Amino acid sequence: MNTAPAYSERVRALFARPAHAGDAAGPRVDLARGDSRIVLSAELADGRLARLAFRAFGCPHLIAAAEAACAACEGRGTDALAAWEARAAIAELAVPLEKTGRILSLEDAIRALHEKLTASVPGRN
Amino acid sequence: MSADAVYLDYAATTPPAPEVVAAMNAVLRDPLAFANPASIHAAGRAAAAVEARARASLARLLGADPARLVWTSGATEADNQAIIGGARFRAHRGRHLVTLRTEHKAVVDAFGALEREGFEVSWLTPRGDGRLAAAELEAALRPDTQLVSVMHVNNETGVVQDIAALGALCRERDILFHCDAAQSAGKLPLDLASLPVDLLSVSAHKLYGPAGIGALYLAARDGCGVEPLLHGGGQQRRLRPGTLPVALIAGFGAAAELAAGRVEADLAHVHALRRRFVDGIAALPGLRINESREAQYPGILNVSAAGVEGESLLLALEPLCVASGSACNSLSGEPSYVLRALGLDDALAQASIRLSFGRGTRAADIDFALATYISAVRQLRRIAPEAAA
């Protein structure tokens, strides 16, 4: 009865230690789709993503992808958000086909956060 | 299973008891008992003696006449045989059947197959605690009703149905009453000599016997019968042809004999384990225990946690071996239809787990499960957006 889906070691590690779970003191995006919800928030300092955080209600792959995205983008410029691609995360985490929509939703949330951040910084687009 | 895994899925299957393994080994190693019990030579007679002993042991456990038992491959086959075979046997009298929405898939799908054959099925919804009120069943019975199926102990929640009262309603009206007792045989006292049950399904691997063997009980009364589903040799009065698997039957017999001597002790053991877990989670908010306060088998504990996602909960609970809220549907990922029928929404049904305890479960296993469960729920709620948590 307990036929849990297979998870890669990478997914298990990200899921078990989501260092970026929480909230950052800055712009926030809240995206709910289907049975999942993702909240992203960011704190900028000197044009860089000083702190990037997430909250998620969803499957282990979504939580792992959110953690991986935050870890990859934190400390970099906001353009890192625009460059983040669901396709790469789906491949890296071996996300099953039926769950790829959740990772695409995460990409949408990241894009929306990027837009918010660039709109809030004068002279940037 | 890794060495640190804690097995709390006894409702799914149980490990074969040492006495069962010994009984099966004895048959497999015996120079004669491997034979076909239907054969009249010496080897056949040796196998038949083994089969007869096992039959007597199972009959004693159930309070049944040994002659009224038919070996099957398990409870799924027994359910199909009882429901499909029973409905066809009585089809000349009427084509209306009654069952519960919360039955095991083996029952639900058998009724679905009969609907496709043109039978009419009334699907009853139990009360919020999972129990079916006798008045509810009585209201569904019609002059053309021929068969009713209600399980004894629900495999997902452990809720116990009052099969004495429900069966009596059917017996008064000469309606076949089938009961899936896969989760109760050997775990709760059963006495078919006094219960108004016409057809009863059991399985060996739920009571520390081997997988692959079960039995169907047929009451000795006029109008109680089933059409065979399989055709072939004349074994088992043509009801279920095929060469009998003597080693599996010997294992079932040993399991039944063992269970008969320790039903009360096993019950007390799982009751204490359940109490320990329930007390341990009492301080955690947002939990719902899916049970009946009126009649509950303590070896099955189904608990839902608001604000956590089911699949993530299951992964966070590793290395606990438990069943998810999509129990029996875990491959589809669909929420449990049993919990949905009890009024849980999809999210809460998916955030439900079933722990089931057995002879091998120790208090230390429960303490480990408690710590793991509390930590997992807290962690997932900490990660979740506020409104969801």
Side-chain angles (χ1 to χ4, degrees):
Chain A
M1 288 179 59
N2 185 6
T3 314
Y7 305 102
S8 66
E9 285 307 313
R10 175 92 172 120
V11 169
R12 287 174 180 275
L14 292 163
F15 176 81
R17 289 175 290 282
H20 293 83
D23 302 291
R28 179 173 184 272
V29 165
D30 188 337
L31 184 69
R33 274 194 197 146
D35 54 3
S36 300
R37 185 173 161 207
I38 184 88
V39 176
L40 295 173
S41 54
E43 189 180 336
L44 280 180
D46 300 327
R48 308 192 80 78
L49 295 161
R51 163 101 170 118
L52 195 53
F54 78 95
R55 288 184 178 276
F57 181 88
C59 68
H61 286 99
L62 177 64
I63 292 170
E67 170 59 26
C70 289
C73 297
E74 194 174 68
R76 300 170 61 191
T78 55
D79 288 350
L81 295 173
W84 191 87
E85 284 191 335
R87 192 176 50 179
I90 288 167
E92 182 199 353
L93 302 176
V95 179
L97 187 63
E98 65 274 16
K99 291 184 182 178
T100 52
R102 296 169 192 172
I103 313 304
L104 290 168
S105 294
L106 173 63
E107 184 181 88
D108 289 345
I110 290 172
R111 294 282 185 276
L113 182 65
H114 177 252
E115 280 178 26
K116 267 197 176 183
L117 289 168
T118 51
S120 68
V121 178
R124 291 197 54 114
N125 52 36
Chain B
M1 191 160 73
S2 64
D4 58 351
V6 172
Y7 187 79
L8 297 173
D9 205 10
Y10 282 79
T13 194
T14 53
E19 294 86 343
V20 168
V21 175
M24 292 177 70
N25 277 338
V27 170
L28 293 168
R29 289 177 177 153
D30 189 285
L32 295 177
F34 68 90
N36 183 347
S39 301
I40 57 170
H41 48 57
R45 291 198 301 277
V50 170
E51 189 271 339
R53 275 198 301 276
R55 178 181 290 273
S57 295
L58 180 59
R60 266 196 303 278
L61 176 69
L62 302 176
D65 176 353
R68 307 309 302 172
L69 296 173
V70 176
W71 300 114
T72 64
S73 61
T76 292
E77 185 191 326
D79 286 342
N80 274 265
Q81 178 66 74
I83 294 162
I84 296 176
R88 287 178 183 165
F89 182 78
R90 301 266 293 228
H92 64 287
R93 297 195 195 184
R95 298 175 74 82
H96 178 242
L97 316 166
V98 180
T99 193
L100 267 179
R101 293 188 189 281
T102 50
E103 291 292 308
H104 189 275
K105 266 281 182 190
V107 168
V108 169
D109 288 356
F111 276 99
L114 287 169
E115 279 185 318
R116 292 190 291 279
E117 280 186 28
F119 286 88
E120 185 188 349
V121 179
S122 291
W123 298 90
L124 305 184
T125 303
R127 302 181 314 214
D129 71 346
R131 296 252 291 167
L132 176 65
E136 190 81 15
L137 174 62
E138 191 167 19
L141 300 178
R142 309 189 321 208
D144 62 336
T145 306
Q146 295 305 319
L147 185 142
V148 171
S149 181
V150 177
M151 73 203 314
H152 193 192
V153 169
N154 186 276
N155 56 303
E156 291 192 35
T157 62
V159 169
V160 182
Q161 300 292 350
D162 186 353
I163 55 170
L166 301 173
L169 289 172
C170 296
R171 185 61 63 86
E172 287 165 11
R173 293 162 177 79
D174 186 26
I175 295 169
L176 286 180
F177 182 67
H178 167 252
C179 179
D180 177 342
Q183 295 292 348
S184 63
K187 296 175 180 175
L188 290 178
L190 264 177
D191 181 22
L192 290 170
S194 59
L195 280 170
V197 172
D198 293 316
L199 303 159
L200 183 119
S201 308
V202 294
S203 181
H205 75 98
K206 305 287 192 187
L207 55 111
Y208 307 90
I213 185 74
L216 174 64
Y217 160 82
L218 293 97
R221 75 173 184 90
D222 288 344
C224 177
V226 295
E227 291 285 329
L229 299 185
L230 302 177
H231 304 278
Q235 294 93 342
Q236 305 203 77
R237 291 170 285 143
R238 297 191 182 281
L239 277 177
R240 206 283 190 177
T243 303
L244 291 176
V246 183
L248 292 174
I249 290 171
F252 197 176
E257 194 173 325
L258 189 62
R262 54 182 300 167
V263 169
E264 296 299 337
D266 284 353
L267 209 44
H269 177 60
V270 295
H271 188 274
L273 296 170
R274 179 190 186 86
R275 190 74 266 147
R276 195 176 184 97
F277 193 90
V278 170
D279 288 348
I281 57 172
L284 198 59
L287 300 185
R288 169 184 161 142
I289 295 175
N290 303 301
E291 65 179 351
S292 168
R293 296 280 172 91
E294 209 175 316
Q296 175 71 35
Y297 168 61
I300 296 177
L301 174 61
N302 192 302
V303 57
S304 310
V308 302
E309 197 271 340
E311 189 187 327
S312 286
L313 178 61
L314 213 54
L315 180 58
L317 286 177
E318 283 189 353
L320 298 184
C321 299
V322 298
S324 73
S326 48
C328 285
N329 299 313
S330 31
L331 288 175
S332 71
E334 291 295 314
S336 154
Y337 65 90
V338 172
L339 298 179
R340 294 285 288 112
L342 300 185
L344 275 70
D345 62 29
D346 283 357
L348 201 53
Q350 274 180 321
S352 305
I353 59 159
R354 180 194 69 186
L355 303 101
S356 44
F357 318 122
R359 287 178 198 155
T361 313
R362 303 161 305 160
D365 296 329
I366 298 300
D367 293 343
F368 179 76
L370 263 173
T372 307
Y373 184 75
I374 291 170
S375 164
V377 170
R378 283 184 176 151
Q379 163 80 341
L380 291 172
R381 285 178 175 168
R382 188 179 69 79
I383 293 173
E386 274 181 22

